[in-house]
Amino acid sequence: MTAPLKDVAPAERARSTSFYEASARTRLELLLDAGSLIEFIGPGQREVSPHLKIFDLPEQFDDGIVVGHGRLDGSPVFVAAQEGRFMGGAFGEVHGAKLTGLLRAAREIGTVPVLVLFDTGGVRLQEANAGELAIAEIMRAVMEARSAGVKVIGLIGGRSGCYGGGGLIAGCCSALAVSEPGRIAVSGPEVIETNRGVEEFDSRDRALVWRTMGGKHRRLLGAADVFADDNVQDFREAALELLGLVGPFGLDRLKAEQDRLAGRLRSFGACGDAIDIWTAEGIADAQAVPELPADQFIALANRIGRTSRDAR
Amino acid sequence: MLDEIIASLFPDGHEVRRDKGVILGSATLRSGVRMLVLGVADRTALGVDEAIRLSGHVLDSIGRDSGPILVLVDSDSQRMSKRDELLGLNEFLAHLAKVLIHADTNGRPTIGLLYGHSAAGALLATGLATRVLVGLPGAEPAVMDLPSMAKVTKLSMEALQEKAKSTPVFAPGLSNLAQMGAVHMIWSNAASLADQLEALLVDLPAARDQRDALGKERGGRLKAAEIAERVRDLALQVR
């Protein structure tokens, strides 16, 4: 089938734009149908953090997150995109409240899915209590939306990864798509090293960081269902694929998740490194996984990797 | 201290045991209702091994019991280790929170009781995933401790302590979290905990999350409720 001519150029631009390098706004512009984004409380409203000035830190007019409504292949979606280049995409009071409000509306409507483009180091330390509580409110709002039938899809491939409470929110989503640089974890490499020593985790060992927290490991482990190449078009296609796959949420999902996670501990709990887990999963040349190009990795993951579908 | 707290909460007896930092069990309220009890003790870090036992305890009870659920918290932060992150700690902590939220919104009201320390991911997966979070005097929640904050913000401890006097937004402590709306109430150590628990259970707030409104009322978070409400309204209009 031939795409209408007007759609060709945006798709090509999306294909040639690195999700990792792009800003939150560029990601949304290229992810959604061209020109469809309507932002809520955009930078023109200047709703900045009321707390950063206590620390003489610069504010940003959107507090580092874009929330709004758009269309994906013609269908309505709510979107939220964190800007990892502003305070590491961290959750503060205003930043978090925007996402909470979006999720509460989605819950009331019940049929419009939510895409969350994570790019976050976790709680914004300068407003740590407000940020932590915002994350708790978002987690509850995600689960209430899902219980009302809303699909909440997380897309992870930004500079700041998805750390701290961001990792917990991601764990609440209906499904995740992740790219290789899209790290998902609670404690960051530096935090583990600072607290437990370089023997526990050498944060400067980038290969160790990628294979412990990076997208390939999360895909093989079943934490993410779809692996995307690092471009916006791939994330768009991943979002569409996941929207088609996600089923309704209920108690059976939580029971299945309990079994899935307990099974993971039984199977891999004694593994010392991601390479050991991949080998145990049946990958003959696990050492080669970090070097595999995206298409070969996706083929491998589809053959061997686990999924969390119906069990999260 | 935990033994005294449990004895004061459940004078009619309980089957609550503590094993490797994890609290599991149930107890009978004076009304005769069984309350499921779980939690983290002894300032234990919440890792994958602890989280899976706690979530399993709640899931085993769903469909079998009908009473409310108590989550006792004296934890470290999440366990910071290569192994826990390798195995997907974020999923285990999220799963525990999800199970608690699901129970709460499906007829099993959840109450968190913060009686010691807690921080970061451990607090999100336990106390902050309950409907009502209660603090006991002396509890020491800290999203981030001040020395670590000093390191990140490159400010002196003195400067941070000075700033903390004028705002509850970043500094550790029970009263700061109460002002934010995270901790609903602080109980008294002088009165019977059983009396205070039963008073709460007969007058339980609705399941709807109202922590942002509480934070506004108490002056700790002036913008969250309004921003969330405005986004919600705009989103409902766009259809």
Side-chain angles (χ1 to χ4, degrees):
Chain A
M1 206 172 82
T2 315
L5 202 60
K6 65 177 171 62
D7 289 341
V8 170
E12 279 175 8
R13 227 186 112 209
R15 180 77 66 197
S16 63
T17 301
S18 161
F19 189 95
Y20 184 82
E21 301 286 346
S23 69
R25 287 174 189 282
T26 301
R27 286 175 192 155
L28 284 182
E29 180 200 332
L30 296 175
L31 188 89
L32 296 168
D33 296 353
S36 69
L37 177 67
I38 299 164
E39 184 173 357
F40 308 139
I41 314 191
Q45 311 268 321
R46 305 202 171 186
E47 286 291 0
V48 301
S49 162
H51 309 298
L52 293 177
K53 60 177 177 290
I54 304 169
F55 295 89
D56 296 319
L57 287 168
E59 295 148 350
Q60 193 155 296
F61 290 151
D62 58 12
D63 205 34
I65 190 168
V66 182
V67 300
H69 180 277
R71 293 195 174 266
L72 197 66
D73 252 10
S75 297
V77 286
F78 287 124
V79 288
Q82 296 182 291
E83 178 49 71
R85 291 181 291 196
F86 175 65
M87 312 257 351
F91 287 87
E93 179 174 348
V94 172
H95 180 117
K98 283 177 158 182
L99 181 48
T100 303
L102 191 78
L103 289 160
R104 287 178 182 168
R107 175 204 185 184
E108 284 177 53
I109 296 166
T111 51
V112 177
V114 183
L115 305 181
V116 183
L117 286 66
F118 290 97
D119 196 351
T120 186
V123 167
R124 190 183 292 169
L125 294 179
Q126 292 81 1
E127 40 188 299
N129 297 335
E132 173 100 344
L133 188 45
I135 289 166
E137 288 166 337
I138 292 164
M139 289 168 67
R140 185 150 185 130
V142 169
M143 295 319 297
E144 291 185 353
R146 288 186 63 194
S147 297
V150 178
K151 300 169 183 179
V152 183
I153 309 290
L155 307 178
I156 299 170
R159 284 168 178 274
S160 295
C162 186
Y163 281 103
L168 270 74
I169 300 171
C172 292
C173 289
S174 317
L176 302 176
V178 66
S179 65
E180 183 162 25
R183 296 132 292 150
I184 308 172
V186 188
S187 309
E190 292 81 7
V191 173
I192 301 176
E193 186 182 316
T194 303
N195 282 278
R196 298 282 306 278
V198 71
E199 307 77 23
E200 176 68 28
F201 205 100
D202 181 356
S203 65
R204 283 166 307 174
D205 182 345
R206 299 324 283 174
L208 172 68
V209 174
W210 294 127
R211 73 176 184 269
T212 307
M213 302 168 173
K216 281 183 173 168
H217 178 53
R218 294 301 178 217
R219 171 66 191 90
L220 290 173
L221 207 55
D225 271 342
V226 171
F227 184 85
D229 201 357
D230 176 35
N231 65 74
V232 183
Q233 182 65 19
D234 238 49
F235 272 99
R236 176 182 159 97
E237 287 162 15
L240 282 164
E241 183 184 347
L242 289 174
L243 287 173
L245 289 174
V246 169
F249 173 77
L251 178 62
D252 55 327
R253 296 299 189 98
L254 292 177
K255 287 181 173 168
E257 182 165 63
Q258 179 77 21
D259 292 344
R260 177 172 72 84
L261 295 177
R264 184 188 294 169
L265 288 188
R266 278 196 303 276
S267 303
F268 308 130
C271 291
D273 193 278
I275 304 278
D276 304 329
I277 293 182
W278 304 340
T279 303
E281 282 187 289
I283 297 174
D285 189 7
Q287 298 279 353
V289 166
E291 304 308 322
L292 282 183
D295 55 339
Q296 288 178 38
F297 175 77
I298 289 166
L300 175 76
N302 289 344
R303 201 168 69 245
I304 285 179
R306 293 162 188 248
T307 78
S308 53
R309 204 169 302 150
D310 306 328
R312 59 180 299 138
Chain B
M1 184 168 72
L2 178 64
D3 293 340
E4 290 157 31
I5 290 168
I6 292 176
S8 179
L9 280 167
F10 307 114
D12 291 354
H14 64 84
E15 294 147 34
V16 178
R17 61 197 189 281
R18 188 175 1 176
D19 175 41
K20 292 184 230 159
V22 169
I23 302 167
L24 299 171
S26 63
T28 307
L29 299 169
R30 282 183 296 206
S31 60
V33 171
R34 293 292 286 175
M35 185 168 209
L36 192 77
V37 180
L38 65 146
V40 185
D42 309 323
R43 206 169 168 157
T44 303
L46 186 55
V48 293
D49 300 302
E50 291 80 15
I52 199 75
R53 293 173 66 199
L54 294 171
S55 54
H57 187 60
V58 178
L59 283 172
D60 286 347
S61 152
I62 290 179
R64 182 192 64 200
D65 313 323
S66 60
I69 298 172
L70 181 68
V71 184
L72 292 155
V73 187
D74 173 23
S75 74
D76 199 349
S77 66
Q78 72 273 7
R79 177 163 297 121
M80 296 175 181
S81 82
K82 179 185 177 188
R83 175 176 176 269
D84 286 87
E85 292 301 345
L86 187 64
L87 291 166
L89 180 60
N90 72 303
E91 289 180 88
F92 287 80
L93 296 184
H95 177 65
L96 174 55
K98 287 151 77 173
V99 166
L100 288 171
I101 292 167
H102 181 81
D104 186 61
T105 50
N106 286 273
R108 304 287 303 276
T110 53
I111 294 165
L113 184 57
L114 194 56
Y115 71 96
H117 184 75
S118 189
L123 187 55
L124 285 171
T126 58
L128 288 176
T130 60
R131 182 190 305 193
V132 178
L133 179 56
V134 178
L136 278 187
E140 299 172 316
V143 173
M144 186 82 176
D145 58 283
L146 280 189
S148 306
M149 274 208 59
K151 202 169 152 186
V152 174
T153 57
K154 298 183 176 64
L155 292 168
S156 69
M157 281 291 289
E158 293 72 33
L160 282 176
Q161 278 158 351
E162 192 53 40
K163 288 177 194 298
K165 285 181 193 159
S166 61
T167 172
V169 79
F170 70 89
L174 190 61
S175 61
N176 288 331
L177 280 184
Q179 271 194 63
M180 307 308 292
V183 171
H184 290 70
M185 60 187 78
I186 298 171
W187 282 352
S188 161
N189 267 336
S192 139
L193 295 181
D195 288 348
Q196 296 176 84
L197 174 60
E198 280 167 27
L200 172 60
L201 286 171
V202 295
D203 191 24
L204 209 55
R208 184 171 152 247
D209 191 346
Q210 296 184 65
R211 290 174 288 190
D212 54 0
L214 202 56
K216 185 175 184 178
E217 198 180 296
R218 293 174 179 175
R221 281 194 303 162
L222 295 173
K223 292 194 89 165
E226 180 222 323
I227 295 280
E229 192 59 20
R230 274 170 62 196
V231 169
R232 176 185 157 274
D233 286 348
L234 290 162
L236 290 175
Q237 282 164 26
V238 82
R239 304 156 74 181

